[in-house]
Amino acid sequence: MRIINKQTYIGVDGLEIQVKTKLRQNNIESKELYSKRTGVKIGRIKAISATGFRLYINLPKMVRTDNIRPFGIIDKIHLEEVLNEITNILVEFGVNVCNAFISTVEINATAQLDSNKSVECIMNLLALMLLQERNKVFLTAHGKKNTCYKEVPLSYDILRNTYQIESLKTSRLGNKSFCWKFYNKGLEEGIQNKGLLRLEQIHNKRSLEREGLPQRLDLFLSSENIVQLVRLYQKSFKRYFIDIYWKHGEHCFTEKCVNTILLELQEESPLSVAKIHSELISIDFEIFERACRLFYQNQKTATQTIRRVRNSGKVEVNKGAIGELVQVFRAILYSK
């Protein structure tokens, strides 16, 4: 039985809306917007010309006090009140909702994992995976203590920090119709007691046109279109993530990781290999374990080697991140 992550939710997050008017009736150049229903900030309206505005609205925050869980199929019942509230916002600026058009829509899958550490490991894995394709990737990272040097006296002037990826963003894919953004949602929200991974697609109007989705706001916000956006996410996830980054034919990206360790074991001692590839192994120690079990014919020798390296204190040992990520993938692909 294939296990899936049952706390993975797919839906819409933010909408960027272009608004055109014959004459701007409000002198406010920029204004933050707050929901009358939830009381939280839901977006911003900003003048971009004498007769135009750009409006950003976060749909989940119009029905909840946060956007940890996206606006999904289950939230369709709120669409009428959401549209009414946005319409009232536009009226304040002398705009008819029929003159508001979607230019960008954010669709994401957000998954709760066992811990924030799992998310950190997965973010480093995703960065490594995306960079293998030689495509441009925009990274945000911060330094973290390298635990391998925790016993080294401070009098030694060495590099004590390694990197931790916070977010990744790709250039546009799919005929330049959308891009990927992956990030640690828990870090963004300041949540430390649980891991929140967000895998987001940012679609432009070219993507909406190709899918036959209306761009006029009042026509866009319908139950049928929310369902279609979720299906668009799943389709794009399979075509532009799984088939490009995660799998090449029958081979999975993690096999590349294992094969890299396996190749090094032919020339170096197991501990040396672990130290050389400490950043890879720290993502999930099971990569090293799998390589050892393939390298040694005697499984007792493999087990002893794994134990020695794990207990050496020279590598950071984390386990289970890859398995958790696969469970999220299944939840996305097989969600109804």
Side-chain angles (χ1 to χ4, degrees), residues 128 132 253-266 273 276-277 280 287 291:
L128 184 63
Q132 299 307 305
F253 173 74
T254 54
E255 292 182 44
K256 280 188 179 182
C257 300
V258 172
N259 290 338
T260 300
I261 303 299
L262 195 56
L263 180 66
E264 296 284 359
L265 284 171
Q266 297 176 18
V273 172
I276 291 168
H277 293 287
L280 172 59
I287 294 170

Side-chain angles (χ1 to χ4, degrees), residues 5-12 64 67-75 107-112 194 196-199 230 233 328 331-332 335:
N5 182 304
K6 294 183 179 179
Q7 297 187 80
T8 299
Y9 305 98
I10 307 173
V12 179
R64 291 183 281 278
N67 69 328
I68 291 174
R69 183 169 173 171
F71 191 98
I73 294 174
I74 196 172
D75 296 309
I107 321 170
N108 72 69
T110 301
Q112 182 172 328
K194 58 183 176 182
L196 293 171
L197 175 68
R198 174 155 290 183
L199 310 175
V230 170
Y233 180 92
V328 173
I332 293 171
S335 176

Side-chain angles (χ1 to χ4, degrees), residues 41-86:
K41 180 181 173 182
I42 57 172
R44 174 182 290 274
I45 190 165
K46 183 178 181 181
I48 57 175
S49 68
T51 59
F53 294 97
R54 179 181 293 116
L55 174 65
Y56 177 83
I57 290 289
N58 190 279
L59 286 187
K61 289 185 177 180
M62 298 189 75
V63 296
R64 291 183 281 278
T65 55
D66 60 53
N67 69 328
I68 291 174
R69 183 169 173 171
F71 191 98
I73 294 174
I74 196 172
D75 296 309
K76 294 185 299 181
I77 58 173
H78 300 295
L79 279 171
E80 184 177 353
E81 59 190 278
V82 166
L83 181 58
N84 288 338
E85 186 166 358
I86 297 176

Side-chain angles (χ1 to χ4, degrees), residues 261-290:
I261 303 299
L262 195 56
L263 180 66
E264 296 284 359
L265 284 171
Q266 297 176 18
E267 299 182 359
E268 304 286 346
S269 69
L271 184 57
S272 295
V273 172
K275 291 168 70 176
I276 291 168
H277 293 287
S278 59
E279 291 175 349
L280 172 59
I281 291 172
S282 69
I283 292 171
D284 196 326
F285 193 71
E286 290 178 10
I287 294 170
F288 183 77
E289 291 183 351
R290 285 175 58 190

Side-chain angles (χ1 to χ4, degrees), residues 34-272:
Y34 291 82
S35 172
K36 292 180 180 178
R37 185 174 189 272
T38 64
V40 300
K41 180 181 173 182
I42 57 172
R44 174 182 290 274
I45 190 165
K46 183 178 181 181
I48 57 175
S49 68
T51 59
F53 294 97
R54 179 181 293 116
L55 174 65
Y56 177 83
I57 290 289
N58 190 279
L59 286 187
K61 289 185 177 180
M62 298 189 75
V63 296
R64 291 183 281 278
T65 55
D66 60 53
N67 69 328
I68 291 174
R69 183 169 173 171
F71 191 98
I73 294 174
I74 196 172
D75 296 309
K76 294 185 299 181
I77 58 173
H78 300 295
L79 279 171
E80 184 177 353
E81 59 190 278
V82 166
L83 181 58
N84 288 338
E85 186 166 358
I86 297 176
T87 300
N88 291 336
I89 290 170
L90 292 173
V91 167
E92 292 180 25
F93 286 81
V95 177
N96 189 306
V97 70
C98 297
N99 293 324
F101 295 86
I102 303 292
S103 59
T104 301
V105 57
E106 300 165 348
I107 321 170
N108 72 69
T110 301
Q112 182 172 328
L113 306 183
D114 284 347
S115 68
N116 187 56
K117 189 64 184 178
S118 295
V119 180
E120 291 180 346
C121 292
I122 287 170
M123 288 305 305
N124 288 345
L125 178 71
L126 292 174
L128 184 63
M129 181 167 55
L130 266 59
L131 290 169
Q132 299 307 305
E133 296 303 314
R134 301 182 182 179
N135 295 324
K136 186 175 289 187
V137 180
F138 304 93
L139 307 174
T140 301
H142 65 263
K144 67 172 184 178
K145 292 291 183 183
N146 190 332
T147 58
C148 301
Y149 298 121
K150 62 183 178 181
E151 302 297 332
V152 177
L154 294 177
S155 57
Y156 285 80
D157 190 19
I158 61 173
L159 299 174
R160 295 181 180 274
N161 284 356
T162 184
Y163 64 85
Q164 175 56 57
I165 302 297
E166 295 180 11
S167 68
L168 304 161
K169 189 174 181 180
T170 69
S171 54
R172 292 203 170 273
L173 306 169
N175 198 23
K176 300 189 181 300
S177 61
F178 85 99
C179 66
W180 283 109
K181 184 178 179 182
F182 307 130
Y183 57 102
N184 185 335
K185 181 63 176 173
L187 182 64
E188 181 187 69
E189 296 288 332
I191 299 172
Q192 298 180 346
N193 61 348
K194 58 183 176 182
L196 293 171
L197 175 68
R198 174 155 290 183
L199 310 175
E200 186 168 79
Q201 299 169 7
I202 305 173
H203 289 263
N204 59 23
K205 59 183 181 181
R206 178 182 295 181
S207 179
L208 301 182
E209 289 171 354
R210 190 172 62 187
E211 294 299 315
L213 287 160
Q215 293 175 50
R216 206 175 86 181
L217 178 61
D218 56 331
L219 301 178
F220 179 85
L221 289 176
S222 72
S223 299
E224 295 79 10
N225 291 339
I226 295 298
V227 173
Q228 189 171 345
L229 288 168
V230 170
R231 301 297 175 245
L232 171 61
Y233 180 92
Q234 292 174 301
K235 179 174 64 176
S236 300
F237 184 81
K238 173 68 168 63
R239 183 174 180 182
Y240 295 109
F241 181 82
I242 295 294
D243 292 347
I244 292 177
Y245 298 113
W246 186 249
K247 282 191 174 181
H248 290 271
E250 297 298 319
H251 299 286
C252 176
F253 173 74
T254 54
E255 292 182 44
K256 280 188 179 182
C257 300
V258 172
N259 290 338
T260 300
I261 303 299
L262 195 56
L263 180 66
E264 296 284 359
L265 284 171
Q266 297 176 18
E267 299 182 359
E268 304 286 346
S269 69
L271 184 57
S272 295

